[in-house]
Amino acid sequence: MRKRGKTVRCCRILLILCVCISLLSGCQKRQETEQMEVEYTIMTDKELPEELLTIIEENKTQEMRLTWMDQEEMYLIRGYGEQLTGGYSVAVAGCTEDETTLWFTTRLIGPDEGEASGAASYPYLAVKIDATEKEVVIE
């Protein structure tokens, strides 16, 4: 009987070791691709092409994530839809790229205390970059 108990115990230990080894061998550190900053220019309404302004105006009441090409330039637009008051702004949190993807990240900044007006607003931000064939992700 004792021999059988030792054998069962050894089998259990071996099984646990095998499971641990297989789990550990499946864990690999995901290699991050190096991201580089992308140069951009924040555009005002006066600087945007008329056709793009029309598109923005038509879509301003809802959230929008748009790319728009004009010859050798690309515009990245991030809108936050209708806000109940004025005083909101949009800031660039990051504009980076790797070998295959360009990421454009923004954040909505609420009005300071006392700065909010009663009128609804439609905050958005448009930036201009050099045209790219990469996948564009706007967050």
Side-chain angles (χ1 to χ4, degrees):
M1 273 302 214
R2 287 191 138 177
K3 194 171 188 179
R4 184 170 179 218
K6 284 184 179 182
T7 305
V8 170
R9 205 173 305 142
C10 285
C11 287
R12 285 183 183 166
I13 291 172
L14 280 174
L15 179 62
I16 291 170
L17 283 174
C18 289
V19 168
C20 289
I21 289 171
S22 66
L23 287 175
L24 290 175
S25 66
C27 296
Q28 297 176 13
K29 185 176 181 183
R30 195 175 120 200
Q31 188 156 358
E32 300 278 331
T33 57
E34 186 174 331
Q35 292 187 12
M36 297 174 50
E37 294 289 323
V38 175
E39 287 188 33
Y40 59 87
T41 304
I42 296 175
M43 305 299 288
T44 65
D45 287 351
K46 293 178 183 177
E47 298 170 314
L48 291 173
E50 199 63 40
E51 185 179 343
L52 179 54
L53 273 174
T54 302
I55 294 169
I56 292 169
E57 184 65 28
E58 291 171 353
N59 294 286
K60 71 179 184 180
T61 60
Q62 55 216 343
E63 280 200 41
M64 67 178 139
R65 293 172 174 85
L66 303 172
T67 60
W68 193 80
M69 296 280 286
D70 182 20
Q71 296 168 3
E72 295 179 11
E73 299 166 332
M74 177 182 272
Y75 295 85
L76 309 174
I77 297 90
R78 175 65 168 104
Y80 285 85
E82 183 175 11
Q83 303 300 312
L84 298 178
T85 66
Y88 285 86
S89 61
V90 182
V92 175
C95 191
T96 59
E97 67 182 348
D98 66 12
E99 295 172 3
T100 60
T101 309
L102 182 137
W103 289 273
F104 179 58
T105 309
T106 63
R107 59 187 167 92
L108 179 65
I109 301 170
D112 290 335
E113 217 173 290
E115 185 180 319
S117 68
S121 62
Y122 309 92
Y124 76 91
L125 180 71
V127 300
K128 179 174 67 173
I129 63 170
D130 291 335
T132 182
E133 295 291 321
K134 296 178 181 183
E135 175 188 2
V136 176
V137 177
I138 299 175
E139 299 176 327

